[in-house]
Amino acid sequence: MIPARISVTGLVWGCAFFLQSLHSANGDVSYSFPEEMKRGYVIGNIAKDIGLETSRLSIRNARIDTEGNHERYCDINLSTGDLTIAERIDREGLCGKKASCVLKQELVLEDPLELHRISLHVQDINDNSPQFKNNFIKMEISESAVKGVRFSLDEAHDADIGQNTVQSYTLQRNEHFILNVKTKSGGRKYSELVLDKELDREGHHEIKLLLTAMDGGTPQRSGTVVIHVTVLDANDNAPVFSQAVYKASLPENSPLDTVVVKVSATDADEGLNGEVTYEFDDVSDENSNVFSLDHKTGKIIVVGPVDYEKESSYEMQISAKDGLGLASYSTLIIEITDVNDNAPVIYLKSLTSPIPENASPGTEVGIINVQDRDSENNREVRCSIQQNVPFKLVPSIKNYYSLVTTGELDRELVSDYNITITATDEGSPPLSSSKSVQLSVADVNDNPPLFQEQSYKAHVTENNKPGASVCSVTARDPDWRQNGTVIYSLLPGELNGVPVSSLLSVNGDTGVIHAVRSFDYEQFRSFKVQVVARDNGSPPLSSNVTVSVFVTDVNDNSPQILYPAPEGNSFMTELVPRVAHGGSLVSKVIAVDADSGQNAWLSYHIVKSTDPGLFTIGLHSGEIRTQRDISESDSMKQNLIVSVKDNGQPSLSATCTMYLVISDNLAEVPELKDVSYDESNSKLTSYLIIALVSVSTFFLTFIIVILAVRFCRRRKPRLLFDGAVAIPSTYLPPNYAEVDGAGTLRSTYNYDAYLTTGSRTSDFKFVTSYNDNTLPADQTLTKSPTDFSEDLDDSNVSPEVGLYLSCKNLCNILYLFYSNVQTINSTPRIDLPLIIGLRWYSIPMLTPSPSLSLFVSLSLPTPTPHAPAHNIL
């Protein structure tokens, strides 16, 4: 690298230097420029010199770095590429007397990382005047000194170098002395006072002379000192050093008071003229703070810190003078040896934080620079990083390292990394330093919300208030901020044709599920809904969970009595034979409850009866039985008020009235109409009369046919069925069916319908128990005359007995019709069933005494619609 320098002469200011940049073969750039330039002074265009487009400087984050801890003296203009002065540069302060003053700078470019070394050659300008060590020089010259005797004078010191340092000396005109200027081995000039005319102490015992030192700069600078000459007796021998040059080696960081070297000079004179003293001839203030010279012994000792990194060598001039001022000079050179006293320093040049957690392995996140101020092996540095983090250091250019990822990052596991980088040099012993780098991991929406349970169960009591809380679901999302914010919603759907949104709602923020309406256990006993938890990420992630809602039953339904029918619609009358013994089954109250569990456990109680001791009812069966044998004194008409209660809290109940008639046949019951309701209107009476006539005609025809068959076959009629209590099927609603061991019935009962001997073509509905040999409840048995003729073919009953029975039955039927027509009071509907039930016990010749019952179903037209029907027993 050969810098070019051009000198220009001006009227006022000294010189300026032409700058020229040269590129070395390895890409380094060198510049030369004068010291003391103002800030912003353009040194050169670095972008042009390295062949880089100016626009790329900003993109590649170009910057100027320095080696070690030196101050950054230049800067780069990213817009123009100019390299400019950043701080005032004083060559003397930086380089002292060194002939070459070079500042090392580095241009760093990123993406990709590129390094250019810059050498700044600072040229000296004449900004310092020559200065003498003291303001005056004392000399004692013997008057015996002969003409031509030379006396060495103090050298003037100029901080500048080269042409700008001391170039000449001039002496004030006098009659005794002239000046002789000489050059030392290092090129420095000093002066000698030459006696041109012998001294006469008696004429002048003191002489004052003015010595001027001038440099070679432009403009020229000078310094002066006063020489005070005292005329003494003669001293003709000067001290002589043992060596012209003294050299010593000193390790840095040597302790104070360490003896570096000892200089020695001898003088052939005796007495005062032979006493030698030692002094630093030319030493700067910095050197005087590091080393000290013993004036008597000539020992050089350490009095200040010795730092190889600050100064690697020292050169000083030492003078030896005798008592009368004769002197000689020697040079002292001290070489400082390096010691591994500087630990490596880690600089974080760039860092990318936070890092996305989905960053691929090998992503560069930072640039590290490591420097060591020591030399040779002491500045060789190794960098390492702890092994428990997914990062590593990759060596790059010179002492630069790239910090890159080595594996997948997961913010939910580790959100922040504290990376410790350790740098160790190759010294003995090695020194190391560490630096912590904080890295944060940025969140990515990579986790869906997760419910705390796989499914949820909720129990809600029926008849709940709308808006009541049913249950709460909770989902957690380990992501951050909006990626971890969970919103709840119901998955759209229908339950039995009802939208889910009309049953439940969910709070989108808290996950609390509310009932939109009141639930009915009898309508919904349980149902399931899907709750969706969705985060606010982009794209959003979601998960579902099933919520099973169970409706708890509440005792909100009173028992419903199926038999007997409720009052106001019809009345029921049961015939009880007087020969009935205690414990005989008289009738049965049938009730159901729409609730479930204990709310549907029914119990039956007689709350009021005509004769309290005559009948009893099964607590759970509802069977009405006689408690004792029926006596002649018991009232013919017996009324029982039965209460049916459930087992809920509080308990609900329903009541019905059972009408019982104690009689062996209907003819003995003239007061039956008194048990009925009030007289019906005239239209119903007309309908019943017409029905009575029709039934009478039917039975007369039926009896004639039966008589004809009996007399033809001469066989005794027999009973079709054997049973106890007949309950018409019209009293059983289609929605209820009594089965074995279920519902409110605790036992199995057989309910059969019986035919009289005159009934051959009538239709019947049978209500039976769950039995394989009985007909289903919804089937109708139709008998043809032929079938009845076969069934009634009994040789044991005479035709007279059959005729008697048929006539008696007909009379009873007609009587019952006549009596009831006068007592029915209700508005008939369009389809009016007229149910007539007769129980008649045969004469003693028929053994065992069968019970013959007849059920006839008639449909009577009526002009009044939507009216309740009458059921007549």
Side-chain angles (χ1 to χ4, degrees), residues 419-554:
I419 303 173
T420 301
I421 301 173
T422 303
T424 306
D425 61 25
E426 297 290 341
S428 180
L431 300 178
S432 62
S433 62
S434 299
K435 186 176 184 65
S436 295
V437 177
Q438 298 288 338
L439 283 176
S440 300
V441 181
D443 185 47
V444 174
N445 190 28
D446 56 348
N447 292 280
L450 294 178
F451 286 94
Q452 293 184 344
E453 299 182 15
Q454 294 182 351
S455 62
Y456 291 84
K457 293 182 180 180
H459 296 271
V460 58
T461 306
E462 68 171 328
N463 304 326
N464 59 291
K465 293 183 179 181
S469 174
V470 175
C471 70
S472 176
V473 297
T474 303
R476 294 286 183 264
D477 194 322
D479 291 324
W480 193 46
R481 289 187 177 175
Q482 66 178 12
N483 293 333
T485 302
V486 180
I487 299 176
Y488 303 92
S489 62
L490 290 177
L491 191 67
E494 293 187 354
L495 296 173
N496 299 333
V498 178
V500 172
S501 59
S502 65
L503 300 176
L504 299 174
S505 67
V506 61
N507 189 308
D509 297 326
T510 64
V512 178
I513 299 177
H514 300 274
V516 176
R517 68 179 189 182
S518 179
F519 295 114
D520 187 358
Y521 175 81
E522 288 69 39
Q523 181 182 7
F524 289 104
R525 296 195 176 189
S526 66
F527 57 89
K528 295 181 179 180
V529 296
Q530 292 284 331
V531 178
V532 181
R534 186 186 72 255
D535 58 29
N536 275 335
S538 179
L541 301 178
S542 63
S543 60
N544 299 349
V545 72
T546 300
V547 179
S548 301
V549 180
F550 300 92
V551 182
T552 305
D553 184 41
V554 173

Side-chain angles (χ1 to χ4, degrees), residues 576 581-588 606 613-618 621-628 640 660 747 749:
V576 182
H581 299 289
S584 300
L585 177 63
V586 174
S587 183
K588 177 179 174 65
I606 297 177
L614 182 56
F615 299 99
T616 184
I617 190 170
S621 64
E623 295 178 347
I624 300 177
R625 297 178 181 270
T626 58
Q627 294 190 77
R628 57 179 175 79
L640 301 179
L660 302 177
S747 303
Y749 298 93

Side-chain angles (χ1 to χ4, degrees), residues 295 313 591 683 741 871:
H295 298 287
S313 65
K683 290 183 180 182
N871 298 325

Side-chain angles (χ1 to χ4, degrees), residues 503-781:
L503 300 176
L504 299 174
S505 67
V506 61
N507 189 308
D509 297 326
T510 64
V512 178
I513 299 177
H514 300 274
V516 176
R517 68 179 189 182
S518 179
F519 295 114
D520 187 358
Y521 175 81
E522 288 69 39
Q523 181 182 7
F524 289 104
R525 296 195 176 189
S526 66
F527 57 89
K528 295 181 179 180
V529 296
Q530 292 284 331
V531 178
V532 181
R534 186 186 72 255
D535 58 29
N536 275 335
S538 179
L541 301 178
S542 63
S543 60
N544 299 349
V545 72
T546 300
V547 179
S548 301
V549 180
F550 300 92
V551 182
T552 305
D553 184 41
V554 173
N555 190 29
D556 58 344
N557 291 282
S558 300
Q560 181 181 358
I561 300 176
L562 305 180
Y563 182 84
E567 294 188 18
N569 296 332
S570 63
F571 70 93
M572 300 297 300
T573 302
E574 292 282 353
L575 292 179
V576 182
R578 290 187 178 275
V579 295
H581 299 289
S584 300
L585 177 63
V586 174
S587 183
K588 177 179 174 65
V589 177
I590 301 175
V592 294
D593 196 313
D595 295 321
S596 66
Q598 67 176 8
N599 295 329
W601 296 351
L602 302 181
S603 60
Y604 301 84
H605 309 272
I606 297 177
V607 297
K608 184 178 182 182
S609 64
T610 303
D611 190 346
L614 182 56
F615 299 99
T616 184
I617 190 170
L619 179 63
H620 299 294
S621 64
E623 295 178 347
I624 300 177
R625 297 178 181 270
T626 58
Q627 294 190 77
R628 57 179 175 79
D629 295 343
I630 297 177
S631 64
E632 294 295 332
S633 62
D634 292 330
S635 174
M636 179 180 295
K637 295 185 293 183
Q638 295 287 333
N639 296 342
L640 301 179
I641 299 178
V642 179
S643 173
V644 182
K645 297 182 179 179
D646 57 28
N647 199 35
Q649 294 295 333
S651 177
L652 302 178
S653 63
T655 59
C656 66
T657 302
M658 179 69 73
Y659 300 100
L660 302 177
V661 176
I662 302 176
S663 176
D664 289 333
N665 61 62
L666 294 177
E668 299 177 358
V669 194
E671 299 87 358
L672 186 61
K673 63 180 180 290
D674 296 337
V675 184
S676 65
Y677 293 93
D678 295 337
E679 183 179 358
S680 178
N681 54 45
S682 59
K683 290 183 180 182
L684 179 58
T685 303
S686 301
Y687 294 149
L688 295 178
I689 293 174
I690 296 174
L692 178 61
V693 174
S694 301
V695 171
S696 300
T697 304
F698 170 75
F699 274 101
L700 287 175
T701 305
F702 185 69
I703 291 173
I704 293 173
V705 174
I706 293 176
L707 290 177
V709 173
R710 289 181 180 277
F711 280 105
C712 291
R713 297 190 177 184
R714 304 291 298 172
R715 298 180 64 178
K716 182 173 67 174
R718 65 182 177 87
L719 295 177
L720 294 178
F721 304 97
D722 184 18
V725 180
I727 300 176
S729 64
T730 54
Y731 291 118
L732 294 177
N735 294 334
Y736 296 92
E738 191 69 36
V739 298
D740 187 13
T744 58
L745 300 182
R746 294 181 177 268
S747 303
T748 303
Y749 298 93
N750 294 325
Y751 301 97
D752 300 327
Y754 305 97
L755 295 175
T756 63
T757 57
S759 301
R760 293 195 175 189
T761 59
S762 301
D763 294 338
F764 297 89
K765 282 190 178 283
F766 295 94
V767 181
T768 66
S769 66
Y770 184 78
N771 198 329
D772 294 339
N773 4 358
T774 60
L775 291 173
D778 58 349
Q779 293 185 0
T780 302
L781 176 63

Side-chain angles (χ1 to χ4, degrees), residues 93-225:
L94 294 175
C95 302
K97 287 292 185 178
K98 292 181 181 179
S100 176
C101 184
V102 180
L103 301 179
K104 299 294 185 179
Q105 306 283 294
E106 293 177 347
L107 173 64
V108 180
L109 302 173
E110 296 183 4
D111 193 24
L113 182 62
E114 186 177 349
L115 181 67
H116 292 272
R117 289 185 289 272
I118 303 173
S119 297
L120 301 179
H121 295 265
V122 182
Q123 299 295 337
D124 183 47
I125 64 172
N126 191 25
D127 58 339
N128 293 282
S129 299
Q131 291 182 353
F132 289 91
K133 182 178 180 181
N134 299 310
N135 293 330
F136 60 92
I137 299 174
K138 288 185 178 182
M139 298 183 67
E140 295 179 347
I141 303 174
S142 174
E143 64 178 354
S144 61
V146 296
K147 181 179 179 181
V149 175
R150 301 173 182 271
F151 302 94
S152 178
L153 300 177
D154 291 343
E155 180 183 357
H157 173 70
D158 194 334
D160 297 326
I161 63 173
Q163 191 67 23
N164 295 324
T165 191
V166 177
Q167 298 296 322
S168 62
Y169 294 88
T170 60
L171 183 65
Q172 178 184 359
R173 184 179 294 274
N174 64 89
E175 62 183 41
H176 294 284
F177 297 96
I178 61 174
L179 192 65
N180 182 30
V181 179
K182 301 184 69 174
T183 302
K184 293 183 178 181
S185 58
R188 293 183 299 171
K189 296 182 181 299
Y190 66 97
S191 61
E192 293 180 341
L193 192 63
V194 180
L195 183 61
D196 188 52
K197 181 181 179 180
E198 290 78 9
L199 297 175
D200 185 10
R201 181 179 179 278
E202 287 69 21
H204 300 281
H205 67 280
E206 287 185 354
I207 301 173
K208 291 184 178 180
L209 304 173
L210 181 64
L211 177 63
T212 302
M214 294 175 292
D215 60 21
T218 303
Q220 192 177 47
R221 293 176 177 268
S222 63
T224 60
V225 66

